[in-house]
């Protein structure tokens, strides 16, 4: 099989990129999707709002996913569902697993848009036994929204990110009554009025608390929680792990593509290019985690970058400046390799904080501050810093001056 | 419930690797066999967590029954594995000395290996080791190579033995904890969670519950189980490229120590610990211990520092108050006891089975009539995701097809729990640990497990 551009992942980023590429005149644009339906994570989100930016109206997740797929198909994009990319080979060439066996797909360029997932129990290093009933929210949403099942009835919820509060709504919808919501930090991570939700639903919010041990042989029976008041054992029949997103990047790691331990995604340059020829990345694979709308916009930019690459118009990746983060306040920043910005591509540094902090964000090159911005933010907030024209290949240093 | 059944020749208590191998031997030899397993599924006890190595016995106690069983078991695995599609990765092992004391111990270990009949070992200098294992930490001093040590799949081996037993007429009963036993004139009368069973010979292969079952059968036990916990960490697949051999430490009097090795599934594991405990039913993960294991791994292979951990597990080995295997036959009582089978049980299982069959009256070791074909789960093997008609992938981290899951749900001993399905197919065992495929698995398995995935159906209040 042959394509102009192959895109792995039919979520908002992948479908947006495919649609733009087809509109730019590429006739062979193929999107590889491992699920039976295109649309990605929004398909599992029964709530709104989706689509404000893309369709100028408020949609629920599944409807939004359908519209993205319909838009791509309308301009001639081929979406191959039930197809899993199993290896990224030089060329670029993709090895695919399909219900009919393995196949290869050669393309002039490949865009990786495989998205994100939540950290597992072991990645969070929670001790204890391994009974049934320990789930991520992603797994729970599938069981509740796609199957109408209820895997537990009174779980402990770990996390206070935005998705953690939507977890409470999913639970409510399924008749599940969480017995506690547990947050290791001093503050609720999510912004805004969601804070009130646990109280409204009668779920105790336990701050500065960690789940240290899960107990139970066949099913979860209890968890041990260490908090400001000491150690407590809470009877429960499940543990719901929410958030702590990380890139779905196993395919990249196996291919030896350079990864960034801070974002958990690949190292990209200003054009979303990876360190293996012909490979690009966009969407939540790049970092945990942005809205569907932000991923959609990123997919569009990636399409423009790929079109420029295929016409030989991109500068060499080697001319880029490496972005270095100094200090412990900044959790990640990207793109990790910065080339002279052009309109429409990654012309800003995106970053997130590791903890709530305020001060002046500074980007320095050869001892000179070339961009600055005052911030007062929590870890959940998306922060960007515009890049000035004339960035050279010397290393760029990003710091947060907390006195400022 | 299942009605009373008489007329079994042999009742094997415990469907771990040893129980499955014993059932296979007796069934092939023509006996009518029933296997009573207390768990929802086979391999739910000690056999679920081990280091998946087929040992040569080079470091086993000289002249021991354990050594004989390892050697016989190893040899029989080599004979039969291809007939049943069982994987064998002839990685070989390196025994590594990191300090002077360990280096001093090497000659005696090599002499023991040769005395144990493992004569193909090769002493290796530091430079040889670094050439053989380029990622090894430069502090390595010396060691030796044991070419015969190999990597296998601990679960498909046991399932293959069990399926072959079933093909020869054996019957498996799960959730069949033996609750009382009575010795009649010429046979045993056992009551279990899955009905009453009468059998001429009882084989106690109850692993972590061996002493408990022994007391149930005879009123007392001549051995005491002292569970020894082993925790492991499993690194993600890119880490498997860092080690070609099984990397063994110089063993101590107490333990074989922490091993670093690939798995046949293409991961890299580090473990086990050796922690004594009283409870035979509870193997907890301790984050501090797992982190220490990770650090141990990094000391051996520094490049592991940049690798992700996919999973962790803890197993219990049924150690006893003595080091050796505790195998004893009392034919006047119609009883064979197989206790104290620790880490080497996977390697020795087939050898133990032959030994038990001989103890029980020396039936001829017949050739099997049926050879069940096991699904290929080994990385790089002819996996189903490569084949036409696989019906699409359900678990993408471990590339498990819908057809493989259906096959495990309709196998001769079908999966009854998520644990059983994992061990038969590897679903949810990859890096996402079920984030992606749990919902589809819950849908596919609804109404088919005795231990269902969705346990919250009834309102617990």
């Amino acid at each position: 099989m042959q394509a102009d551009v192959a895109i792995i992942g039919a979520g908002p980023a992948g479908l947006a990129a495919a649609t733009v590429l087809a509109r730019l005149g590429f006739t062979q644009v193929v999107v590889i999707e491992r699920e039976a339906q295109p649309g990605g994570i929004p398909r599992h989100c029964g709530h709104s709002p989706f689509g404000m930016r893309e369709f100028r109206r408020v949609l629920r997740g599944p409807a939004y996913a359908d519209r993205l797929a319909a838009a791509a198909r309308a301009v001639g994009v081929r979406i191959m569902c039930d197809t899993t990319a199993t290896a990224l080979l030089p060329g670029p060439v993709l090895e695919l697993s399909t219900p009919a066996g393995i196949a290869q797909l050669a393309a002039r360029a490949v865009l990786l848009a495989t998205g994100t997932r939540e950290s597992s129990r072991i990645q969070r290093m929670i001790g204890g036994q391994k009974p049934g009933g320990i789930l991520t929210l992603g797994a729970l949403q599938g069981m509740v929204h796609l199957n109408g099942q209820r895997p537990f009835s009174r779980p402990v919820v770990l996390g206070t990110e935005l998705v953690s509060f939507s977890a409470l709504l999913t639970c409510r919808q399924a008749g599940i009554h969480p017995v506690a919501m547990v947050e290791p930090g001093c503050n609720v991570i999510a912004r805004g009025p969601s804070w009130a939700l646990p109280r409204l639903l009668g779920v105790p919010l336990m701050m500065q608390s960690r789940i240290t041990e899960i107990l139970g042989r066949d099913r979860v029976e209890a968890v041990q929680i260490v908090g400001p008041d000491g150690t407590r054992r809470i009877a429960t029949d499940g543990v719901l792990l929410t958030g702590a997103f990380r890139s779905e990047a196993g395919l990249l790691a196996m291919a030896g593509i350079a990864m960034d331990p801070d974002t958990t995604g690949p190292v990209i340059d200003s054009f979303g290019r990876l360190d293996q020829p012909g490979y690009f990345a966009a969407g939540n694979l790049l970092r945990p985690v942005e809205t569907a709308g932000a991923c959609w916009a990123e997919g569009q930019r990636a399409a423009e970058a790929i079109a420029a690459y295929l016409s030989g118009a991109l500068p060499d990746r080697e001319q880029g400046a490496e972005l270095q983060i100094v200090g412990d306040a900044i959790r990640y920043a990207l793109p990790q390799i910065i080339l002279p910005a052009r309109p429409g591509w990654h012309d800003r540094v995106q970053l997130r904080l590791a903890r709530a902090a305020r001060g002046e964000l500074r980007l320095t090159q050869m001892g000179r501050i070339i961009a600055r911005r005052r911030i007062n933010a929590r870890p959940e907030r998306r922060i960007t810093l515009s890049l000035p024209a004339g960035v050279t290949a010397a290393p760029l240093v990003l710091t947060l001056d907390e006195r400022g | 419930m299942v009605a009373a059944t008489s007329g079994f020749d042999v009742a094997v208590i415990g469907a771990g690797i040893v129980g499955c191998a014993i059932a296979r031997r007796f069934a092939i030899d023509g006996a009518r066999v029933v296997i009573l397993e207390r768990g929802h599924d086979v391999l739910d006890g000690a056999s679920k967590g081990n280091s998946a190595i087929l040992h040569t016995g080079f470091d086993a106690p000289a002249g021991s029954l354990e050594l004989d069983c390892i050697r016989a078991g190893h040899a029989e695995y080599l004979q039969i594995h291809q007939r049943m599609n069982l994987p064998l990765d002839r990685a070989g092992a390196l025994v590594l000395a990191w300090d002077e004391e360990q280096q001093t111990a090497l000659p005696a270990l090599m002499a023991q290996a040769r005395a144990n009949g493992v004569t193909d070992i090769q002493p290796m200098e530091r430079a040889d080791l670094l050439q053989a294992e380029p990622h090894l930490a430069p502090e390595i001093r010396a060691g030796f190579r044991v070419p015969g040590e190999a990597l296998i799949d601990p679960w498909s081996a046991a399932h293959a033995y069990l399926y072959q037993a079933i093909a020869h007429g054996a019957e498996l009963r799960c959730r069949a904890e033996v609750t009382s036993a009575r010795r009649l004139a010429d046979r045993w009368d056992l009551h279990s969670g899955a009905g009453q069973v009468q059998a001429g010979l009882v084989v106690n292969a109850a692993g972590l519950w061996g002493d408990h079952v022994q007391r149930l059968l005879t009123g007392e036990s001549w051995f005491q189980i002292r569970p020894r916990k082993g925790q492991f960490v499993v690194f993600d697949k890119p880490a498997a490229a860092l080690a070609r051999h099984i990397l063994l430490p110089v063993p101590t009097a107490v333990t074989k120590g922490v091993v670093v090795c690939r798995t046949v599934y293409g991961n890299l594991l580090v473990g086990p610990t050796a922690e004594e405990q009283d409870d035979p039913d509870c193997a907890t993960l301790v984050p501090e211990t797992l982190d220490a294991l990770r650090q141990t791994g990094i000391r051996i292979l520094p490049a592991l520092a940049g690798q992700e951990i996919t999973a962790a597990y803890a197993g219990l080995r049924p150690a006893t108050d003595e080091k050796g295997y505790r195998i004893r036959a009392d034919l006047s009582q119609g009883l064979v006891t197989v206790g104290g089978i620790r880490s080497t049980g996977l390697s020795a299982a087939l050898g133990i089975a032959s030994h038990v069959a001989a103890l029980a009256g020396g039936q001829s070791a017949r050739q099997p009539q049926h050879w069940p074909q096991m699904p290929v789960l080994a990385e790089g093997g002819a996996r189903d995701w490569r084949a036409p008609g696989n019906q699409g992938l359900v678990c993408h981290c471990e590339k498990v097809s819908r057809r493989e899951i259906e096959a495990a749900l309709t196998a001769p001993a079908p999966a009854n729990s998520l644990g059983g399905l994992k061990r038969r197919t590897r679903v949810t065992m990859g890096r996402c640990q079920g984030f992606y495929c749990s919902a589809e698995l819950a849908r596919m398995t609804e109404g088919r497990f005795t231990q269902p995935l969705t346990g919250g159906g009834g309102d617990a209040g």
Side-chain angles (χ1 to χ4, degrees), chain B residues 23 26 35 54 66 84 132 142 173 175 187 251 265 285-286 293 317 351 358 365 370 395 401 437 457:
Chain B
F26 278 111
I35 311 151
L54 185 66
E66 179 177 6
M84 296 196 279
R173 295 190 188 176
R175 290 195 298 166
R187 61 192 191 279
Y265 318 113
L285 297 169
V286 181
L293 277 175
R317 20 223 215 269
H370 308 283
C395 166
S401 73
C437 62

Side-chain angles (χ1 to χ4, degrees), chain B residues 435-451:
Chain B
F435 168 79
Y436 181 77
C437 62
S438 290
E440 178 64 4
L441 284 177
R443 196 191 62 73
M444 288 183 76
T445 59
E446 200 161 21
R448 300 173 80 168
F449 283 165
T450 58
Q451 188 190 343

Side-chain angles (χ1 to χ4, degrees), chain A residues 117-126 244 246, chain B residues 236 308-311 431-433:
Chain A
R117 62 177 162 82
E118 291 163 295
S119 294
S120 66
R121 177 248 179 111
I122 192 61
Q123 282 159 348
R124 296 165 179 262
M125 274 291 169
I126 301 171
R246 52 191 304 113
Chain B
D236 202 357
E308 284 195 26
I309 289 177
T310 292
R431 59 183 72 87
C432 94
Q433 294 279 296

